[in-house]
Amino acid sequence: NGLRELPKDIGNLKSLEVLQLRGNNIGTLPSSVAKLKKLKELDLRGNPISELPPPSSFPVLRRLIVSKTNIPATTLEAFRKRPKVSVVQ
């Protein structure tokens, strides 16, 4: 996969529950991703991404997969503190 970025308007997918982006070349997520309030699983493994919106942006997130990313431990710790969120590294 060679995806480098997501469409800026991905946040318009209001009913999206699973977003699997593994194995691409995504360095940043558009700000509109914070509008995905029904997102339950976010798979970012294998991307050079280093930032995420705050955990409060994803009220029903249950699984965050971040192995082989550049997301700092402090950011991941904030997600781990959320009830029912599993962070997979």
Side-chain angles (χ1 to χ4, degrees):
N1 300 335
L3 194 62
R4 293 183 166 279
E5 61 183 34
L6 294 177
K8 303 274 186 251
D9 58 354
I10 192 164
N12 292 336
L13 300 174
K14 305 287 185 200
S15 297
L16 189 67
E17 293 185 5
V18 176
L19 184 54
Q20 294 184 342
L21 300 169
R22 69 176 158 234
N24 284 286
N25 197 22
I26 297 170
T28 59
L29 296 175
S31 60
S32 69
V33 79
K35 295 179 183 177
L36 300 174
K37 301 300 182 191
K38 294 187 178 184
L39 196 64
K40 293 180 181 177
E41 181 176 314
L42 179 56
D43 184 349
L44 297 168
R45 72 186 122 176
N47 285 281
I49 192 163
S50 59
E51 290 182 34
L52 290 176
S56 59
S57 299
F58 307 107
V60 298
L61 189 69
R62 296 295 173 256
R63 191 163 190 217
L64 176 62
I65 306 168
V66 292
S67 55
K68 298 181 184 176
T69 66
N70 298 323
I71 299 170
T74 52
T75 300
L76 298 179
E77 194 57 38
F79 277 90
R80 283 191 182 98
K81 289 180 180 178
R82 301 270 313 186
K84 300 182 183 177
V85 175
S86 170
V87 177
V88 179
Q89 286 184 277

